[in-house]
mmCIF file with all atom_site columns, all heavy atoms in Angstrom:
data_model
loop_
_atom_site.group_PDB
_atom_site.id
_atom_site.type_symbol
_atom_site.label_atom_id
_atom_site.label_alt_id
_atom_site.label_comp_id
_atom_site.label_asym_id
_atom_site.label_entity_id
_atom_site.label_seq_id
_atom_site.pdbx_PDB_ins_code
_atom_site.Cartn_x
_atom_site.Cartn_y
_atom_site.Cartn_z
_atom_site.occupancy
_atom_site.B_iso_or_equiv
_atom_site.pdbx_formal_charge
_atom_site.auth_seq_id
_atom_site.auth_comp_id
_atom_site.auth_asym_id
_atom_site.auth_atom_id
_atom_site.pdbx_PDB_model_num
ATOM 1  N N   . TRP A 1 65 ? 52.938 146.710 125.400 1.00 0.00 ? 65 TRP A N   1
ATOM 2  C CA  . TRP A 1 65 ? 52.584 146.730 126.804 1.00 0.00 ? 65 TRP A CA  1
ATOM 3  C C   . TRP A 1 65 ? 53.859 146.311 127.635 1.00 0.00 ? 65 TRP A C   1
ATOM 4  O O   . TRP A 1 65 ? 54.677 145.649 127.066 1.00 0.00 ? 65 TRP A O   1
ATOM 5  C CB  . TRP A 1 65 ? 51.437 145.997 127.111 1.00 0.00 ? 65 TRP A CB  1
ATOM 6  C CG  . TRP A 1 65 ? 51.581 144.516 127.309 1.00 0.00 ? 65 TRP A CG  1
ATOM 7  C CD1 . TRP A 1 65 ? 51.957 143.780 128.390 1.00 0.00 ? 65 TRP A CD1 1
ATOM 8  C CD2 . TRP A 1 65 ? 51.532 143.512 126.139 1.00 0.00 ? 65 TRP A CD2 1
ATOM 9  N NE1 . TRP A 1 65 ? 52.041 142.424 128.051 1.00 0.00 ? 65 TRP A NE1 1
ATOM 10 C CE2 . TRP A 1 65 ? 51.793 142.253 126.659 1.00 0.00 ? 65 TRP A CE2 1
ATOM 11 C CE3 . TRP A 1 65 ? 51.232 143.649 124.823 1.00 0.00 ? 65 TRP A CE3 1
ATOM 12 C CZ2 . TRP A 1 65 ? 51.832 141.110 125.933 1.00 0.00 ? 65 TRP A CZ2 1
ATOM 13 C CZ3 . TRP A 1 65 ? 51.295 142.486 124.048 1.00 0.00 ? 65 TRP A CZ3 1
ATOM 14 C CH2 . TRP A 1 65 ? 51.528 141.298 124.553 1.00 0.00 ? 65 TRP A CH2 1
ATOM 15 N N   . GLY A 1 66 ? 53.959 146.739 128.899 1.00 0.00 ? 66 GLY A N   1
ATOM 16 C CA  . GLY A 1 66 ? 54.975 146.218 129.712 1.00 0.00 ? 66 GLY A CA  1
ATOM 17 C C   . GLY A 1 66 ? 54.531 145.213 130.646 1.00 0.00 ? 66 GLY A C   1
ATOM 18 O O   . GLY A 1 66 ? 55.362 144.346 130.942 1.00 0.00 ? 66 GLY A O   1
ATOM 19 N N   . TRP A 1 67 ? 53.369 145.207 131.081 1.00 0.00 ? 67 TRP A N   1
ATOM 20 C CA  . TRP A 1 67 ? 52.740 144.181 131.976 1.00 0.00 ? 67 TRP A CA  1
ATOM 21 C C   . TRP A 1 67 ? 51.324 144.126 131.600 1.00 0.00 ? 67 TRP A C   1
ATOM 22 O O   . TRP A 1 67 ? 50.732 144.989 130.979 1.00 0.00 ? 67 TRP A O   1
ATOM 23 C CB  . TRP A 1 67 ? 53.047 144.472 133.437 1.00 0.00 ? 67 TRP A CB  1
ATOM 24 C CG  . TRP A 1 67 ? 52.383 145.700 133.932 1.00 0.00 ? 67 TRP A CG  1
ATOM 25 C CD1 . TRP A 1 67 ? 52.897 146.955 133.883 1.00 0.00 ? 67 TRP A CD1 1
ATOM 26 C CD2 . TRP A 1 67 ? 51.065 145.883 134.394 1.00 0.00 ? 67 TRP A CD2 1
ATOM 27 N NE1 . TRP A 1 67 ? 52.028 147.958 134.271 1.00 0.00 ? 67 TRP A NE1 1
ATOM 28 C CE2 . TRP A 1 67 ? 50.843 147.248 134.508 1.00 0.00 ? 67 TRP A CE2 1
ATOM 29 C CE3 . TRP A 1 67 ? 50.011 145.009 134.597 1.00 0.00 ? 67 TRP A CE3 1
ATOM 30 C CZ2 . TRP A 1 67 ? 49.651 147.796 135.077 1.00 0.00 ? 67 TRP A CZ2 1
ATOM 31 C CZ3 . TRP A 1 67 ? 48.775 145.568 135.073 1.00 0.00 ? 67 TRP A CZ3 1
ATOM 32 C CH2 . TRP A 1 67 ? 48.655 146.865 135.278 1.00 0.00 ? 67 TRP A CH2 1
ATOM 33 N N   . GLY A 1 68 ? 50.671 143.056 132.034 1.00 0.00 ? 68 GLY A N   1
ATOM 34 C CA  . GLY A 1 68 ? 49.217 142.829 131.617 1.00 0.00 ? 68 GLY A CA  1
ATOM 35 C C   . GLY A 1 68 ? 49.145 141.923 130.455 1.00 0.00 ? 68 GLY A C   1
ATOM 36 O O   . GLY A 1 68 ? 50.073 141.190 130.183 1.00 0.00 ? 68 GLY A O   1
ATOM 37 N N   . GLY A 1 69 ? 48.063 141.990 129.819 1.00 0.00 ? 69 GLY A N   1
ATOM 38 C CA  . GLY A 1 69 ? 47.912 141.026 128.661 1.00 0.00 ? 69 GLY A CA  1
ATOM 39 C C   . GLY A 1 69 ? 47.258 141.596 127.413 1.00 0.00 ? 69 GLY A C   1
ATOM 40 O O   . GLY A 1 69 ? 46.886 140.906 126.486 1.00 0.00 ? 69 GLY A O   1
ATOM 41 N N   . GLY A 1 70 ? 47.125 142.843 127.291 1.00 0.00 ? 70 GLY A N   1
ATOM 42 C CA  . GLY A 1 70 ? 46.497 143.479 126.096 1.00 0.00 ? 70 GLY A CA  1
ATOM 43 C C   . GLY A 1 70 ? 45.134 143.942 126.131 1.00 0.00 ? 70 GLY A C   1
ATOM 44 O O   . GLY A 1 70 ? 44.453 144.220 125.149 1.00 0.00 ? 70 GLY A O   1
ATOM 45 N N   . ALA A 1 71 ? 44.551 143.979 127.357 1.00 0.00 ? 71 ALA A N   1
ATOM 46 C CA  . ALA A 1 71 ? 43.145 144.539 127.511 1.00 0.00 ? 71 ALA A CA  1
ATOM 47 C C   . ALA A 1 71 ? 42.957 145.829 126.857 1.00 0.00 ? 71 ALA A C   1
ATOM 48 O O   . ALA A 1 71 ? 41.891 146.135 126.342 1.00 0.00 ? 71 ALA A O   1
ATOM 49 C CB  . ALA A 1 71 ? 42.801 144.478 128.954 1.00 0.00 ? 71 ALA A CB  1
ATOM 50 N N   . TRP A 1 72 ? 43.978 146.740 126.952 1.00 0.00 ? 72 TRP A N   1
ATOM 51 C CA  . TRP A 1 72 ? 43.759 148.086 126.393 1.00 0.00 ? 72 TRP A CA  1
ATOM 52 C C   . TRP A 1 72 ? 43.514 148.057 124.912 1.00 0.00 ? 72 TRP A C   1
ATOM 53 O O   . TRP A 1 72 ? 42.739 148.757 124.427 1.00 0.00 ? 72 TRP A O   1
ATOM 54 C CB  . TRP A 1 72 ? 44.958 148.942 126.756 1.00 0.00 ? 72 TRP A CB  1
ATOM 55 C CG  . TRP A 1 72 ? 45.991 149.138 125.645 1.00 0.00 ? 72 TRP A CG  1
ATOM 56 C CD1 . TRP A 1 72 ? 46.118 150.303 124.909 1.00 0.00 ? 72 TRP A CD1 1
ATOM 57 C CD2 . TRP A 1 72 ? 46.893 148.260 125.173 1.00 0.00 ? 72 TRP A CD2 1
ATOM 58 N NE1 . TRP A 1 72 ? 47.146 150.101 123.928 1.00 0.00 ? 72 TRP A NE1 1
ATOM 59 C CE2 . TRP A 1 72 ? 47.670 148.885 124.045 1.00 0.00 ? 72 TRP A CE2 1
ATOM 60 C CE3 . TRP A 1 72 ? 47.252 146.901 125.376 1.00 0.00 ? 72 TRP A CE3 1
ATOM 61 C CZ2 . TRP A 1 72 ? 48.662 148.195 123.301 1.00 0.00 ? 72 TRP A CZ2 1
ATOM 62 C CZ3 . TRP A 1 72 ? 48.280 146.319 124.733 1.00 0.00 ? 72 TRP A CZ3 1
ATOM 63 C CH2 . TRP A 1 72 ? 48.927 146.990 123.718 1.00 0.00 ? 72 TRP A CH2 1
#
Side-chain angles (χ1 to χ4, degrees):
W65 78 91
W67 60 271
W72 103 104

